Amino acid sequence: MSASDITLAAAVAAMIAGAAGTALTRDVTRLVVSLGAFLLSVAAIFLIVASSLLAIAQVFVYVGGVLVLVLFALMVVHRDTDERVGLDSLHDIGAAAVAVAVFAGLVALLLPLAGTTGSQTRALPNDIGAFLLGDGVVAFEIAGVLLLVALLAVLVVVKGGEDR
Amino acid sequence: MIVVIGCAAAFAIGLYAVLTRRELIAILAGAEVMLGAANVQLVALALARGGDPAVASGFSLLVVVVAAAEAAVGLSIVVTAYRSGARSRLEEFGEVDAE
C-alpha cells in the first residue's frame, strides 16, 4: 500500500466522518464545521485522483462561497435567539432503512464498474480548459446561463419576501 | 474502489440527513453532502473506466457550478421564509393537502 493510497483512504474516511457529522450533530456550529470538513475532504480526493484545478475550484466555490453563505443564513435565521441553537432530527427506522438500501444498491451497481482499466494520469488545467472551450463548450455555456437564472431567481425570491 | 464505497456511504448519509432533519438549513446541508458525494463518484468512476481525465474534471467543474447555484437559491428561500414569518423548520410550513 503506497503513501498515496493511505492519503486517499484518510481523505475518504474524513469525508464519511464529515458527512456523518452533518447528518447527526445537534449543534449548529458543529454542523457547519462538519460540512466544511466534508467539503475539504472532497477537495483532497479531487487533488489526489483527478486534478489540482478541480480541488482549487472546490475550495473556492464550496468552502469559500457556499459555506460562508450557510453561515450567513444561520446568522440571519437565528439572530433573535441568545441561547445555543439546537438542531432536531426525526430519527426513525424507515429513514435508516432507505439510506442503507440506497447504499447497498449503489455499491452493487457501481462497484463492478470500478477498477477495470483505471486511468493513472491526472488532468492538467490546460486540458480542462481546452475541453471546456472545445467539445464541452455547449455544457459550459449552459452552466453560465444556469448561473444567471439562479442569480435572477435569488433576486425574485428575496424581492417577493420583502413585498409580502 | 475505496472511493466508490466511500462516496456511496456519504451519499446515503446525506440522504438520511435530508429525510430526518427538521431544520431547513440542515436539510440543505444534507443535499450538499449528496451532491458532493455524487460529484466525486462521477470523477472516480470516469477515471476507473479509463476515461479522459480532462473530460471528467470538466464535467465535475460544471457540477460544482450547478451545486453553487442550488445552494444560493436554497439559502435565499430559507432566509426569505424566515423573514416572512420566522419559519425555519419543516413543521412550521403546514401540511400539504393530499387531495
Side-chain angles (χ1 to χ4, degrees):
Chain A
M1 201 174 193
S2 66
S4 172
D5 291 340
I6 294 171
T7 315
L8 183 61
V12 170
M15 180 180 73
I16 294 174
T22 306
L24 299 175
T25 185
R26 292 178 55 83
D27 186 79
V28 74
T29 315
R30 287 182 187 156
L31 173 89
V32 176
V33 172
S34 300
L35 187 61
F38 171 81
L39 297 173
L40 283 174
S41 309
V42 168
I45 294 172
F46 281 149
L47 188 64
I48 295 166
V49 301
S51 156
S52 55
L53 177 69
L54 201 52
I56 290 170
Q58 172 79 13
V59 171
F60 277 8
V61 175
Y62 262 118
V63 183
V66 173
L67 207 59
V68 171
L69 213 57
V70 170
L71 274 173
F72 175 73
L74 280 170
M75 284 162 57
V76 170
V77 170
H78 296 297
R79 66 181 168 189
D80 297 332
T81 55
D82 288 335
E83 72 258 24
R84 278 180 90 83
V85 180
L87 297 169
D88 292 341
S89 293
L90 207 65
H91 297 293
D92 67 341
I93 193 75
V98 169
V100 170
V102 167
F103 170 70
L106 282 175
V107 170
L109 197 69
L110 299 178
L111 211 53
L113 298 176
T116 49
T117 51
S119 166
Q120 295 300 318
T121 56
R122 296 167 73 243
L124 296 172
N126 293 2
D127 301 333
I128 299 173
F131 165 70
L132 287 177
L133 296 177
D135 292 341
V137 71
V138 176
F140 184 67
E141 292 294 336
I142 290 174
V145 172
L146 183 78
L147 272 182
L148 179 66
V149 171
L151 184 68
L152 293 174
V154 169
L155 288 174
V156 168
V157 168
V158 173
K159 189 77 174 68
E162 283 176 357
D163 292 345
R164 207 169 296 143
Chain B
M1 192 174 81
I2 188 171
V3 178
V4 173
I5 295 173
C7 288
F11 186 89
I13 292 168
L15 177 65
Y16 182 76
V18 170
L19 291 175
T20 57
R21 287 295 198 180
R22 303 288 92 192
E23 193 92 11
L24 289 178
I25 293 179
I27 294 171
L28 205 62
E32 290 297 331
V33 168
M34 291 174 70
L35 220 88
N39 203 14
V40 179
Q41 193 81 276
L42 167 78
V43 175
L45 276 178
L47 297 180
R49 301 281 293 170
D52 185 353
V55 176
S57 301
F59 273 111
S60 183
L61 212 54
L62 297 179
V63 173
V64 170
V65 169
V66 173
E70 171 254 326
V73 174
L75 286 171
S76 74
I77 291 172
V78 170
V79 172
T80 305
Y82 180 77
R83 286 168 65 192
S84 65
R87 295 174 297 184
S88 64
R89 296 167 56 81
L90 274 187
E91 294 86 358
E92 293 161 353
F93 285 87
E95 293 180 0
V96 177
D97 195 354
E99 294 177 11

